[in-house]
Each structure stands twice: as C-alpha cells, then as structure tokens.
Amino acid sequence: MRAAMLESNDVAAVIFHSRGFLMGLNAETHSKLCYNAMERCSSNVHMHMTDSITLRELALKFDKTIGSVRSSFYNPMLASKASMRVRI
C-alpha cells in the first residue's frame, strides 16, 4: 500500500481522506501513511506540521515560565525593606 501511495497521488488521496478501519489499517499505521502523503504532496504542509509540534512542546513550558515571572516580580525581602521606608 505504501509503494502504491508513492507511485500515485490518487492512492495517496484515498488513504488520506478515508478512515483507517475502512482500509483494514490500525490507527497508528493510518496516521503514518497520512503523514507520509502530506509530506510527499505538499512540503508546506510538512513544514507547518513540524512547526506545530515544536509549538506544542513550547506551550508545555508556559506554566513554569509564568511561575518564574511571578516570583521575580515579588520579593518578600525587598517588600519588607520598602515598608520601612520613611516618606517626607
């Protein structure tokens, strides 16, 4: 099936647009074939898919970054010194 997909865009389109169970493929194999079809037929789609995976990994780091930003804005030691400040 993979060889036929590489030879014909029509076969690649059928695999991509059909459900895997209708072709007797498990979900992982169907997903790999769809990815290969996208990679072969459109380099822009492949580039966007790769970028989306990178962004998904970056989004997982947001919570840690948000926590570190909060702690850098408030320092209890500096707050206690500021409360002792005398205004004239």
Side-chain angles (χ1 to χ4, degrees), residues 1-8 11-12 15 25 28-37 39-40:
M1 190 176 285
R2 188 179 304 269
M5 184 182 77
L6 293 175
E7 291 176 10
S8 170
V11 174
I15 291 172
L25 300 172
E28 184 178 343
T29 303
H30 185 252
S31 177
K32 286 179 185 178
L33 287 174
C34 287
Y35 184 80
N36 290 340
E39 184 178 33
R40 182 177 161 272

Side-chain angles (χ1 to χ4, degrees), residues 3-72:
M5 184 182 77
L6 293 175
E7 291 176 10
S8 170
N9 286 340
D10 293 333
V11 174
V14 168
I15 291 172
F16 184 81
H17 292 289
S18 299
R19 301 282 186 186
F21 66 88
L22 294 175
M23 294 182 291
L25 300 172
N26 65 24
E28 184 178 343
T29 303
H30 185 252
S31 177
K32 286 179 185 178
L33 287 174
C34 287
Y35 184 80
N36 290 340
M38 283 189 296
E39 184 178 33
R40 182 177 161 272
C41 294
S42 176
S43 60
N44 287 338
V45 170
H46 179 257
M47 180 186 67
H48 292 307
M49 292 284 287
T50 306
D51 290 346
S52 72
I53 291 168
T54 305
L55 288 174
R56 185 181 304 148
E57 292 169 357
L58 180 65
L60 296 174
K61 299 177 183 177
F62 285 170
D63 290 333
K64 182 180 177 184
T65 304
I66 290 168
S68 65
V69 168
R70 281 188 194 136
S71 65
S72 68

